[in-house]
């Protein structure tokens, strides 16, 4: 494992833009990498296309005095602080309709964020949307199109995927530690759906040292994951083993820019 104190590449003066669909996507998909980039000196900017107002709620009491979109926006800002994200742009496109609604608006907002922040790299979902979530696929499509529209002058685009089988292992480890079936849900999604259709990564980023921050950021999303969620059940060693590698590949765009996120990663050879 790389020694973060001595071997970490410097990212001072560099900017990374991450584009996701809902509050919590950033923490679940690549919270460790975002925190590691921030710790290495990068300015990390997060664009979140919706306020997550349509998802299921872990505890209605948490939203009693407000509306869900506002609560989730606050949870996202807290998670962003935990990860060291410098700037958070939260848009109010309709949760659940991102693939079809406000398509030109979201395209224009992503282009505007690239123009404003001049990122050295952009991260978003891959084609599989982590688990074929249509909002995630919509954000993948919008981000790809936005970057492509800038041609060869665009920053490199990176797709993040989740390793297949990991969420199943997290659930099994949580059950072994006493979690009940009621507690083993990830947002009501079948664990095997995560990463099931992912294209193999081009490189992986070792974030074992950043897993506690990733879990803390996930924990900020209190209306999404209740206190007994599977991540809360597993111990530190299991969390580092199961969540300590984040998977990426560089998207096929015309960008002529040098690679950036790869500097943190280890290449994965094709089988
Ligand atoms: Zn999402």
């Amino acid at each position: 494992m790389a020694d973060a104190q001595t071997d970490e590449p410097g990212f001072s003066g560099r900017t990374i833009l991450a584009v996701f669909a809902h509050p919590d996507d950033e923490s679940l998909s690549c919270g460790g990498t975002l925190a590691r980039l921030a710790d290495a000196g990068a300015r990390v900017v997060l664009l979140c296309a919706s306020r997550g107002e349509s998802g299921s709620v872990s505890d209605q009491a948490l939203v009693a005095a407000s509306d869900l979109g506002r609560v989730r926006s606050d949870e996202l800002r807290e998670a962003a602080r935990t990860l060291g994200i410098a700037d958070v742009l939260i848009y109010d496109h309709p949760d659940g309709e991102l693939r079809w609604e406000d398509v030109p608006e979201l395209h224009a907002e992503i282009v505007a964020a690239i123009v404003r922040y001049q990122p050295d790299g952009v991260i978003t979902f891959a084609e599989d949307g982590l688990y074929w979530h249509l909002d995630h696929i919509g954000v993948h499509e919008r981000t790809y199109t936005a970057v492509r529209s800038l041609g060869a002058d665009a920053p490199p685009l990176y797709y993040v995927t989740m390793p297949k089988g990991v969420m199943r292992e997290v659930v099994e480890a949580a059950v072994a530690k006493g979690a009940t079936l009621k507690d083993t849900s990830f947002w009501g999604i079948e664990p095997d759906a995560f990463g099931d259709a992912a294209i193999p990564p081009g490189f992986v980023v070792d974030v074992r040292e950043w897993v506690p921050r990733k879990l803390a950021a996930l924990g900020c999303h209190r209306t999404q994951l209740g206190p007994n969620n599977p991540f809360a059940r597993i111990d530190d060693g299991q969390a580092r083993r199961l969540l300590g590698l984040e998977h990426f590949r560089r998207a096929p765009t015309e960008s002529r820019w040098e690679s950036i996120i790869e500097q943190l990663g280890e290449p994965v050879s094709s089988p």
Side-chain angles (χ1 to χ4, degrees):
M1 182 170 175
D3 182 344
Q5 302 302 313
T6 56
D7 297 344
E8 195 73 349
F11 283 82
S12 180
R14 314 303 289 272
T15 296
I16 302 296
L17 173 66
V19 184
F20 289 115
H22 314 107
D24 88 355
D25 294 335
E26 75 300 328
S27 302
L28 177 70
S29 65
C30 58
T33 300
L34 299 180
R36 187 173 165 186
L37 285 162
D39 285 0
R43 174 177 65 162
V44 179
V45 178
L46 171 64
L47 188 162
C48 187
S50 83
R51 305 190 307 155
E53 71 275 9
S54 295
S56 59
V57 178
S58 66
D59 179 357
Q60 284 293 345
L62 293 170
V63 288
S66 187
D67 72 88
L68 184 55
R70 179 177 300 182
V71 173
R72 289 201 165 152
S73 298
D74 289 344
E75 290 174 344
L76 177 57
R77 291 188 191 93
E78 187 182 345
R81 281 194 294 275
T82 302
L83 295 174
I85 293 172
D87 247 345
V88 184
L89 310 173
I90 305 174
Y91 290 98
D92 194 14
H93 300 299
D95 183 9
E97 306 290 337
L98 296 178
R99 202 171 183 196
W100 303 278
E101 294 287 332
D102 299 352
V103 166
E105 290 84 356
L106 182 53
H107 170 88
E109 286 153 2
I110 296 168
V111 170
I114 294 171
V115 170
R116 173 181 170 189
Y117 289 100
Q118 297 287 308
D120 298 281
V122 178
I123 299 172
T124 192
F125 299 107
E127 301 86 340
D128 71 325
L130 295 185
Y131 46 93
W132 291 116
H133 192 310
L134 293 177
D135 277 351
H136 297 179
I137 294 170
V139 165
H140 158 81
E141 292 168 342
R142 295 294 80 68
T143 309
Y144 175 71
T145 305
V147 172
R148 279 290 303 270
S149 74
L150 298 169
D153 293 328
L157 175 63
Y158 295 90
Y159 294 153
V160 61
T161 55
M162 288 186 67
K164 187 175 179 176
V166 157
M167 294 296 253
R168 164 67 53 195
E169 282 197 67
V170 172
V171 166
E172 288 173 357
V175 168
K177 294 214 173 272
T180 64
L181 274 184
K182 181 172 73 64
D183 295 332
T184 55
S185 169
F186 289 109
W187 310 271
I189 299 156
E190 172 63 34
D192 288 336
F194 293 88
D196 185 52
I199 293 173
F203 64 98
V204 296
V205 176
D206 185 336
V207 297
R208 282 176 287 183
E209 289 183 40
W210 288 268
V211 164
R213 293 258 294 285
K214 175 173 175 163
L215 289 175
L218 275 166
C220 295
H221 296 285
R222 284 176 286 276
T223 60
Q224 308 218 47
L225 287 172
N228 291 319
N229 77 79
F231 294 129
R233 291 277 185 168
I234 60 177
D235 64 36
D236 285 353
Q238 290 170 322
R240 283 170 197 258
R241 181 173 66 81
L242 294 169
L243 305 174
L245 290 180
E246 293 178 341
H247 291 203
F248 296 89
R249 71 178 210 280
R250 185 163 171 168
T253 68
E254 298 163 48
S255 172
R256 286 196 299 256
W257 291 26
E258 65 173 5
S259 59
I260 177 126
I261 311 289
E262 289 93 333
Q263 293 175 34
L264 293 179
E266 299 290 335
V268 176
S269 54
S270 309

